[in-house]
Amino acid sequence: MTFNYSVSPDDWLGIAPIVVLVVMALVVMLVDLVLPHEGQRSKHSGPANFTVLPAVTFLGILAAMAAAIVLFFVQHRAAVFNQMVGADNGTLYADLLVLSAGGLGILLSPAYLKRLRLVHQGEYYALMLLAMTGMMLMASALSFLIVFVGLEMFSLALYILCSFIEQRQMSQESGMKYFLLSSFASAFLLYGIALIYAASGRTSFVDVQQFVLKQGGHAPILLLVGLGLLTVGFAFKVSAVPFQTWTPDVYQGAPAPVTAFMSIGTKVAALLAFVRVFGFVLSSVQNDWLPIIWTLAVLTVLAGNLMAISQSNIKRMLAYSSVAHGGYLLIGIVISGQAQQNHIGASAILFYLTCYLFMNIGAFGVISMLERSDNSGYDLADLRGLWYRRPVLAGMLAFFLLALAGFPPMAGFAGKYYLFYSALVGGHPELLVIGVIASVLGIYYYLRFIAVMFMEGRDTPRVGTIPTTSGKIPTTPRTRVSGSLSRPLPSSRGGTAVAEKPATARVADLPVPAAAVIENENTHELEGWSWLALIIAGLGTLLVGVILPFWLPQLQQAAQSLLK
């Protein structure tokens, strides 16, 4: 058996957005080499890095978006590189979603990195670009091998980004947990791909689809086992129950801009591969896998909303909210399994991801501006009375939380409406009823945080407080913060002025993170980047919720051209 294949210009044209991102990742690392550095090159980055590097990175993302938009209007092949990578309209749309999430994450990063004095700026932005590349590659995969390559590419980048804050133990833990659990899930996915290849002798989606069609409506046992293992890998990335345990810890410990980006990008990549495999390749044997995906969708919707109710940390609440939204998206997978409704389910998923993109990144964007360097500042107690201290941020956070809850006329309502409508049209009214009940249940935990910000804590916190990982401890006027340690000043009576905890420990005995003492550092010149991201997210939340719903019938009719 011989195999001859040569790459043509059409192949490179089909993956033009991916090529642009890879080139810009190399450019960012080269620019980081020539920028001025303070002190030792390996440990300290110069002040120019906080503006030049994100600007270059953002320009690269805009260039990749321009390439994707041009491909919508330029005639090109729908599948390239020997039918292994897709370049159809659905893939290009997914590319725009990943690039939008990455671009907003980049805009949120400069002020955040400056406030925490995080070094190695070039590595951070290069890893963000490479993570986007892997997500886009997985979303465009037309072969199980490309699925695994894309998955590993963005996972390796996210492992490092989650643990990027060296001085924060929780960040290190989140990176390690994500690495261990994600590697475990990747092993399941790889073993599932191996069993599918053993059963069919092919790895291409088209070839496997033809093999399944010849089975007369029922897949062989070996193929079913492979699909079961494959489902574990996909469900892990979507944060479906019972594979969601990593989500709250990783979301809480990772840098807020990284959390905002990965909460969208991983879902786009995994769900596009999910819907291609189950909604198109395996639609002829839907009776074999539909009950499992149906059960996963229902459990994820209900469990995600129930677990979010008891959370007093808004990052963990949004993590469980992300689990619930992953369950809503799995409803689209169930609908895509219907032989006559697969395109309706796929288009509902893409539209819901568009809505979720703006409102979820907007919520995490506000958190990134509130988050202190010791990973505090966004607990329920910290948000109490935020309206009286920072009314603009409180208003924007309430706006995005209401959108996530599904209040009209914002994007959350439009996304759920279209998804539930597809469930009704696809012959699953029970999923519509379950989704509506879960959405009503989810309103409570969103409104809980809004009520705390607006209706409680009119008094501002005392000035003499030291942020710690366990809360805020009042200090006496003779206690000061200098360097990275809290040192008591000598009293005129020969004693030591310290503040006592309700227990026996003293402030001087408590561990204060080194980065917790730079909260007052002047980062106003970089906050414009974050405000730009919040404005874009706010406008997107409104526009997607108000304007696009009028196009829903047209979107449904045009869904036939989204994925091929």
Side-chain angles (χ1 to χ4, degrees):
M1 179 178 177
T2 60
F3 176 78
N4 295 319
Y5 175 72
S6 60
V7 179
S8 66
D10 288 338
D11 292 326
W12 294 111
L13 178 64
I15 62 168
I18 295 178
V19 173
V20 171
L21 285 186
V22 173
V23 172
M24 290 309 300
L26 298 176
V27 170
V28 166
M29 289 187 284
L30 291 175
V31 170
D32 184 47
L33 289 176
V34 300
L35 284 175
H37 291 71
E38 295 177 351
Q40 298 180 12
R41 176 177 294 270
S42 61
K43 295 183 178 180
H44 299 281
S45 296
N49 295 29
F50 291 101
T51 54
V52 175
L53 289 176
V56 174
T57 306
F58 191 70
L59 287 176
I61 293 175
L62 292 179
M65 294 180 71
I69 293 173
V70 168
L71 287 178
F72 273 107
F73 305 100
V74 174
Q75 185 176 3
H76 62 282
R77 291 189 296 176
V80 295
F81 285 95
N82 198 31
Q83 309 297 313
M84 297 179 68
V85 180
D88 52 83
N89 291 341
T91 298
L92 296 176
Y93 191 87
D95 290 347
L96 291 176
L97 292 179
V98 173
L99 291 170
S100 299
L104 293 175
I106 294 299
L107 291 177
L108 294 171
S109 297
Y112 186 90
L113 299 179
K114 181 67 178 293
R115 188 167 66 251
L116 271 67
R117 289 181 178 171
L118 292 179
V119 297
H120 307 300
Q121 308 295 308
E123 293 89 331
Y124 176 89
Y125 292 110
L127 287 170
M128 290 282 283
L129 291 173
L130 293 175
M132 283 181 264
T133 303
M135 292 170 183
M136 293 165 60
L137 192 61
M138 183 176 180
S140 63
L142 296 179
S143 168
F144 287 106
L145 295 180
I146 302 300
V147 169
F148 184 73
V149 171
L151 174 68
E152 288 302 298
M153 186 173 183
F154 77 76
S155 295
L156 289 173
L158 290 179
Y159 298 154
I160 304 172
L161 288 172
C162 288
S163 57
F164 203 78
I165 308 177
E166 297 177 355
Q167 67 269 30
R168 184 188 295 175
Q169 181 179 358
M170 187 172 292
S171 177
Q172 302 295 310
E173 291 179 356
S174 71
M176 182 57 67
K177 290 177 181 177
Y178 189 49
F179 167 70
L180 294 176
L181 295 177
S182 182
S183 301
F184 187 70
S186 297
F188 273 90
L189 187 140
L190 183 60
Y191 196 34
I193 292 174
L195 291 181
I196 292 174
Y197 176 75
S200 63
R202 299 289 187 273
T203 58
S204 171
F205 288 174
V206 175
D207 294 335
V208 174
Q209 184 181 27
Q210 293 175 353
F211 171 80
V212 172
L213 287 173
K214 296 177 182 179
Q215 303 306 309
H218 290 283
I221 298 298
L222 191 60
L223 182 64
L224 288 179
V225 176
L227 291 178
L229 297 176
L230 199 69
T231 303
V232 173
F234 285 146
F236 178 89
K237 292 302 179 182
V238 181
S239 300
V241 173
F243 310 104
Q244 87 295 345
T245 53
W246 64 275
T247 309
D249 292 334
V250 173
Y251 277 31
Q252 183 181 4
V258 174
T259 304
F261 162 63
M262 70 179 293
S263 66
I264 305 297
T266 54
K267 281 183 170 56
V268 173
L271 282 164
L272 260 291
F274 213 144
V275 76
R276 286 185 195 274
V277 172
F278 288 87
F280 293 87
V281 176
L282 303 173
S283 59
S284 60
V285 292
Q286 58 174 311
N287 294 331
D288 293 329
W289 58 263
L290 196 61
I292 298 176
I293 305 301
W294 188 97
T295 304
L296 281 178
V298 172
L299 290 178
T300 304
V301 167
L302 296 177
N305 283 292
L306 289 174
M307 288 186 288
I309 291 177
S310 61
Q311 302 302 316
S312 60
N313 181 293
I314 194 170
K315 256 191 174 183
R316 297 184 70 87
M317 184 274 286
L318 288 175
Y320 285 115
S321 168
S322 176
V323 173
H325 286 283
Y328 296 136
L329 289 163
L330 286 177
I331 294 177
I333 302 294
V334 174
I335 306 306
S336 69
Q338 308 297 321
Q340 303 299 323
Q341 306 295 340
N342 51 8
H343 289 287
I344 295 178
S347 60
I349 290 173
L350 290 174
F351 182 72
Y352 194 93
L353 286 170
T354 306
C355 301
Y356 187 62
L357 161 68
F358 293 107
M359 53 191 182
N360 199 59
I361 286 190
F364 276 109
V366 176
I367 294 173
S368 71
M369 299 185 69
L370 295 174
E371 183 177 313
R372 301 192 189 101
S373 51
D374 63 341
N375 202 21
S376 65
Y378 48 80
D379 283 329
L380 203 62
D382 298 313
L383 296 176
R384 182 170 288 112
L386 182 65
W387 169 254
Y388 303 103
R389 304 192 305 273
R390 305 188 70 176
V392 177
L393 285 181
M396 297 197 76
L397 182 57
F399 171 79
F400 291 120
L401 291 180
L402 289 174
L404 286 167
F407 281 86
M410 291 170 282
F413 175 79
K416 289 181 180 178
Y417 174 84
Y418 192 27
L419 193 64
F420 296 159
Y421 172 77
S422 69
L424 182 63
V425 173
H428 288 275
E430 75 282 357
L431 292 178
L432 183 150
V433 174
I434 294 172
V436 170
I437 294 174
S439 298
V440 173
L441 180 65
I443 292 175
Y444 167 76
Y445 54 81
Y446 292 117
L447 292 181
R448 180 188 179 200
F449 281 88
I450 296 174
V452 166
M453 289 190 296
F454 286 82
M455 299 180 183
E456 298 182 17
R458 182 181 295 269
D459 297 331
T460 57
R462 296 173 60 182
V463 176
T465 58
I466 298 179
T468 65
T469 54
S470 58
K472 295 179 179 179
I473 304 172
T475 64
T476 64
R478 292 184 178 274
T479 304
R480 69 181 181 184
V481 177
S482 175
S484 61
L485 297 175
S486 174
R487 303 184 185 277
L489 295 177
S491 171
S492 58
R493 299 180 181 178
T496 303
V498 295
E500 297 288 334
K501 285 184 67 179
T504 58
R506 299 183 303 174
V507 172
D509 298 328
L510 295 175
V512 180
V517 298
I518 62 172
E519 302 296 338
N520 295 325
E521 173 143 353
N522 184 15
T523 59
H524 296 295
E525 68 277 6
L526 296 176
E527 286 186 353
W529 296 76
S530 300
W531 283 114
L532 178 59
L534 293 181
I535 292 172
I536 294 174
L539 291 176
T541 301
L542 280 177
L543 293 177
V544 173
V546 175
I547 296 179
L548 288 186
F550 291 101
W551 298 347
L552 287 181
Q554 290 80 2
L555 285 176
Q556 183 177 349
Q557 296 172 5
Q560 297 293 326
S561 64
L562 283 175
L563 292 173
K564 296 181 180 179

